[in-house]
Amino acid sequence: MKILQISNYYYPQIGGIEQVAQDCSDALRKDHEVKVFCFNHEKGDKTDSIDGVEVVRAGCFAKISSQSLSFSYYKLLKRMMAEFKPDAVIFHYPNPFAARYLLKILKKYPNVKLILYWHLDITKQKILGKFFGKQTRRLLTKADKVLSTSPNYIEGSKFLRAFRSKCEVVSCCVNNRHLDLDDSILAAAEEIRKENEGKTICLAIGRHVPYKGTEYLIKASRLLDDRFQIFIAGEGELTPSLKRLAKEDNKIVFLGKIDHESLRAYLLACDIFCFPSVTKNEAFGIALAEAMCYEKPALTFTIQGSGVNYVSLDGVTGIEVENANVEQYANAMVKLSEDVEYRLKLGRAAKERVNRFFTQEIFDKKIRQVLSDLFAEGDGQ
């Protein structure tokens, strides 16, 4: 079977959607021929190969409201559909610019199955969301199957609720490549612990953008004493303002953008994983699931309709507090610091939950089953 994935970007560009697209390729390329079509992060079209999967990238000349724009996109996608002749297209949403062209092209290929992998609603760009509302409903109508990363998101999305009969949950997974530990990582983690002996080590990971809620963690830190050491990994548009906000707080250390090996060392060394996202733009939280793999209790906010509170369960794998409530967040950090037995219990349950629902093996099985069921249904018609 021939499978074409259409994503906004693809590895080596790193992000939640990009990771899921790569996980799909890893799961399907063993038994099917898989190709990927996406934007290039810079000008100029490009074709390369990632783990044996051909990736065609359309040059991007600009971005508007986080949406990439390309002069060559339509021509390249049209050619790829004609030459590759896929049996199924997996389209990673949101990507409204690409959706417009895909809907147009698919009119010529009525037998091609469309799997819509719904990662999140367009929430930040309200004008863009309203403008593409009709197109989005057309896309959902055309789709043979709609995949959501959590049941929470199906119920929380006005679009998905209207197409609930087509929806199926295929949660994101923790990629096995991100769990490998060697002696150097173990030694680095031990060094971090030694340097912060007597401290409760807290770690936050993520791009410095508004929905990640890092400012609330920094504000919570102001209510804590010096027994805490808070490491914040990542960079983004808010980095300068976040550093200003934390300027006189010696408990906070900005790590910047760090490599996977260093990240694993900090995950091993920390006591509490802080995940202070505040909006539905955080649809799932792959970094959250990865931290749970390391038996770290998660500290989250309640986000209505987001999968974050599906990944980590309040009182089971971590503590969940009222959205953007800095005082409650700080109090939860104190509780996890003081009650070591409870903290370890939550951490063990966190790993158990990932092993039960969010492993790469489970993801592989589900995504292959979706394809198998979809074409079995077609044969029976």
Side-chain angles (χ1 to χ4, degrees):
M1 192 182 302
K2 294 181 178 181
I3 313 297
L4 175 62
Q5 282 203 87
I6 301 176
S7 178
N8 200 346
Y9 290 99
Y10 195 78
Y11 186 87
Q13 278 66 51
I14 297 174
I17 296 175
E18 289 77 15
Q19 182 60 62
V20 173
Q22 189 178 15
D23 290 337
C24 286
S25 293
D26 288 344
L28 298 173
R29 63 187 170 89
K30 302 162 190 173
D31 302 310
H32 306 286
E33 185 178 358
V34 180
K35 293 189 178 184
V36 174
F37 185 76
C38 63
F39 290 99
N40 190 3
H41 70 287
E42 55 190 21
K43 294 180 180 179
D45 304 330
K46 179 181 178 183
T47 299
D48 56 17
S49 178
I50 304 293
D51 295 327
V53 174
E54 182 180 293
V55 182
V56 177
R57 307 175 195 263
C60 174
F61 69 84
K63 274 190 177 185
I64 297 178
S65 297
S66 300
Q67 172 63 67
S68 302
L69 302 177
S70 169
F71 289 123
S72 59
Y73 195 95
Y74 178 61
K75 180 182 70 175
L76 289 174
L77 180 57
K78 188 177 178 181
R79 181 194 303 164
M80 197 166 191
M81 288 290 294
E83 294 179 354
F84 184 44
K85 296 181 174 62
D87 299 291
V89 170
I90 300 176
F91 183 79
H92 294 271
Y93 179 93
N95 193 347
F97 180 90
R100 176 192 173 201
Y101 291 128
L102 178 64
L103 284 168
K104 185 176 180 180
I105 292 170
L106 283 176
K107 291 178 181 179
K108 298 181 180 179
Y109 302 94
N111 295 324
V112 174
K113 301 290 187 181
L114 175 61
I115 300 171
L116 182 58
Y117 211 134
W118 189 282
H119 294 274
L120 65 148
D121 297 348
I122 298 176
T123 55
K124 180 182 175 183
Q125 301 88 1
K126 295 186 183 298
I127 295 176
L128 189 66
K130 289 180 180 179
F131 183 76
F132 285 108
K134 186 176 180 180
Q135 175 182 278
T136 300
R137 285 187 286 273
R138 286 175 54 213
L139 190 65
L140 284 159
T141 300
K142 175 65 178 174
D144 296 280
K145 180 67 70 173
V146 181
L147 307 183
S148 174
T149 57
S150 74
N152 298 37
Y153 222 92
I154 296 174
E155 296 307 317
S157 167
K158 67 176 183 179
F159 287 108
L160 295 191
R161 284 198 306 271
F163 292 85
R164 190 183 281 106
S165 62
K166 290 186 176 185
C167 293
E168 185 171 336
V169 175
V170 179
S171 296
C172 306
C173 70
V174 177
N175 194 291
N176 292 339
R177 287 178 293 205
H178 297 173
L179 300 177
D180 293 337
L181 301 175
D182 56 30
D183 290 342
S184 64
I185 294 173
L186 295 172
E190 185 59 31
E191 186 62 28
I192 293 168
R193 292 193 194 99
K194 286 181 179 179
E195 291 175 353
N196 297 279
E197 191 171 357
K199 303 275 189 179
T200 298
I201 303 174
C202 305
L203 176 66
I205 301 167
R207 291 184 298 128
H208 296 170
V209 292
Y211 77 85
K212 288 291 186 180
T214 310
E215 65 176 285
Y216 299 101
L217 172 60
I218 293 173
K219 290 176 181 177
S221 177
R222 294 173 179 170
L223 306 178
L224 303 174
D225 57 37
D226 288 338
R227 87 184 87 167
F228 291 88
Q229 183 68 59
I230 302 171
F231 293 102
I232 299 176
E235 294 178 344
E237 63 191 63
L238 295 182
T239 300
S241 62
L242 292 174
K243 287 184 175 180
R244 287 194 297 271
L245 189 62
K247 187 175 181 181
E248 297 181 0
D249 191 341
N250 295 326
K251 298 186 296 296
I252 294 178
V253 175
F254 287 89
L255 300 174
K257 190 174 181 180
I258 59 177
D259 57 40
H260 283 301
E261 289 73 21
S262 299
L263 187 56
R264 280 173 247 175
Y266 276 98
L267 280 169
L268 273 176
C270 77
D271 301 299
I272 302 169
F273 186 71
C274 296
F275 200 74
S277 295
V278 290
T279 78
K280 278 181 61 182
N281 282 74
E282 192 69 80
F284 184 83
I286 294 177
L288 172 61
E290 288 186 355
M292 290 165 63
C293 264
Y294 287 81
E295 298 191 14
K296 306 304 175 182
L299 185 48
T300 61
F301 287 121
T302 301
I303 310 172
Q304 196 67 34
S306 168
V308 167
N309 309 125
Y310 169 72
V311 177
S312 180
L313 304 180
D314 184 34
V316 179
T317 63
I319 297 179
E320 175 188 327
V321 302
E322 181 184 25
N323 200 315
N325 191 315
V326 171
E327 185 175 352
Q328 287 186 15
Y329 206 85
N331 290 340
M333 294 174 77
V334 171
K335 179 175 177 60
L336 290 175
S337 174
E338 294 179 345
D339 195 338
V340 177
E341 185 177 343
Y342 182 56
R343 187 174 79 214
L344 296 176
K345 177 184 176 182
L346 293 177
R348 289 191 295 270
K351 184 174 182 178
E352 289 172 6
R353 181 161 178 78
V354 173
N355 288 339
R356 186 177 178 186
F357 295 105
F358 310 128
T359 66
Q360 187 173 355
E361 290 74 20
I362 293 171
F363 177 89
D364 289 2
K365 183 178 179 181
K366 282 190 173 183
I367 200 71
R368 287 197 294 260
Q369 192 64 49
V370 166
L371 275 169
S372 177
D373 292 347
L374 194 57
F375 280 90
E377 291 170 6
D379 292 340
Q381 292 177 350

